[in-house]
Amino acid sequence: MDFVLIKNAENADFLTIKAVRHIKEADLLITEFFISEKLSSYFNADCKILNENEYKNYFIDIKQCSPKKIVYLTSDNGLNKTEEEKKTNFFMCLGYKITVLPGISEINRITGQNHFPLTIRHRNESFWVYDGKANTHLHAVEKFKQIAATATTIIIRNPLDQTYSLLSLINQYRNPDTPVLLNTRQNRAIHCTLKDLLKKKAEIVLYQMIVINPSSKDFPSIEFSYQSPLNSNLATG
């Protein structure tokens, strides 16, 4: 018996070939989001569908044979590591072989589509994600100082009014001409620089994601993700 957890599965246009194959083979599908028409077109006719709040009761009350293949679909803002382990352990205890597919995250998709590389070999090979909704009290100020001073791309999701002070903090460590990608809540991409971003204080809550390249105060700004045209092979998404 197989249990497959597929991450970042809400947008059917960005499912991997492997993910679609598993979905088509599922006897039971569990989802934590509204299923689109395109996604539902991959389900086989006999597949039973449950939402994330139903599956435990289903297995408590189940009287028929257990499904041979279960697929669990998460959204881009879905499970953290602890929740993921709880779910996989639940099905492991039921005798299922566990497979986890990472999927294409919203971060990789948006930056890739807009040719804004998160990492470039020998320049920066990591990125750090900060969620404004999850950190409303700004406990991460010291962490921000450490990250801003490194060659790490900074991603701020769901920025709030309080988040603006962190942008000012980043400006203390990075070149004002550092390339920035903004993604609005209407999914419109805007290219600008760090100094441009700091002028947008009143607009900060209009964005769903801010991506800030690593350009040290001591070096010229890194133009790889800001110049046009850009070599699309640099994009990591």
Side-chain angles (χ1 to χ4, degrees):
M1 299 190 301
D2 294 308
F3 172 82
V4 183
L5 177 67
I6 303 178
K7 299 181 180 182
N8 314 119
E10 189 168 7
N11 192 326
D13 291 329
F14 296 98
L15 288 171
T16 63
I17 294 173
K18 184 180 288 188
V20 171
R21 176 173 59 80
H22 283 300
I23 291 170
K24 288 180 176 180
E25 295 172 353
D27 301 306
L28 172 64
L29 191 139
I30 305 168
T31 179
E32 60 179 34
F33 52 80
F34 178 78
I35 297 171
S36 67
E37 183 177 348
K38 182 170 184 177
L39 182 58
S40 64
S41 69
Y42 297 135
F43 304 165
N44 74 62
D46 298 322
C47 178
K48 184 175 181 61
I49 301 170
L50 301 175
N51 68 47
E52 60 180 329
N53 299 315
E54 295 177 315
Y55 75 89
K56 288 188 177 179
N57 287 335
Y58 175 82
F59 281 93
I60 291 172
D61 299 335
I62 193 167
K63 296 181 175 62
Q64 65 271 28
C65 295
S66 297
K68 292 183 178 179
K69 183 158 190 172
I70 301 172
V71 171
Y72 192 111
L73 304 178
T74 75
S75 66
D76 190 68
N77 297 313
L79 307 176
N80 59 38
K81 194 66 178 175
T82 301
E83 293 169 336
E84 179 184 318
E85 289 177 353
K86 285 181 180 178
K87 285 176 171 53
T88 54
N89 288 340
F90 176 85
F91 287 98
M92 188 182 297
C93 291
L94 293 175
Y96 284 87
K97 176 184 175 183
I98 307 298
T99 301
V100 178
L101 297 182
I104 300 173
S105 72
E106 181 183 53
I107 292 171
N108 279 295
R109 174 167 55 81
I110 290 173
T111 55
Q113 285 176 319
N114 291 283
H115 307 306
F116 198 97
L118 291 173
T119 59
I120 295 177
R121 186 171 296 177
H122 305 310
R123 185 203 76 173
N124 68 308
E125 299 188 5
S126 63
F127 60 89
W128 185 62
V129 182
Y130 175 90
D131 192 317
K133 285 185 178 178
N135 297 279
T136 54
H137 299 296
L138 303 182
H139 293 310
V141 169
E142 287 302 317
K143 184 70 172 179
F144 249 85
K145 290 180 181 178
Q146 297 170 19
I147 297 296
T150 68
T152 297
T153 300
I154 296 176
I155 300 162
I156 302 176
R157 303 188 66 173
N158 305 306
L160 304 175
D161 289 333
Q162 305 97 303
T163 316
Y164 183 82
S165 61
L166 297 177
L167 298 177
S168 301
L169 182 61
I170 294 171
N171 189 52
Q172 295 177 26
Y173 293 91
R174 301 201 172 181
N175 192 296
D177 291 319
T178 294
V180 173
L181 176 69
L182 306 174
N183 193 66
T184 70
R185 299 193 183 280
Q186 291 73 41
N187 283 316
R188 184 168 69 93
I190 301 170
H191 289 265
C192 68
T193 64
L194 184 55
K195 64 183 177 185
D196 295 330
L197 177 60
L198 290 170
K199 297 175 184 176
K200 298 177 180 287
K201 183 173 182 179
E203 303 173 22
I204 194 75
V205 295
L206 301 179
Y207 306 116
Q208 67 170 342
M209 188 165 71
I210 299 171
V211 187
I212 304 171
N213 267 192
S215 298
S216 168
K217 280 275 192 184
D218 301 324
F219 296 95
S221 64
I222 296 169
E223 299 294 339
F224 285 118
S225 58
Y226 190 60
Q227 51 185 316
S228 180
L230 174 79
N231 180 354
S232 60
N233 291 328
L234 293 176
T236 59

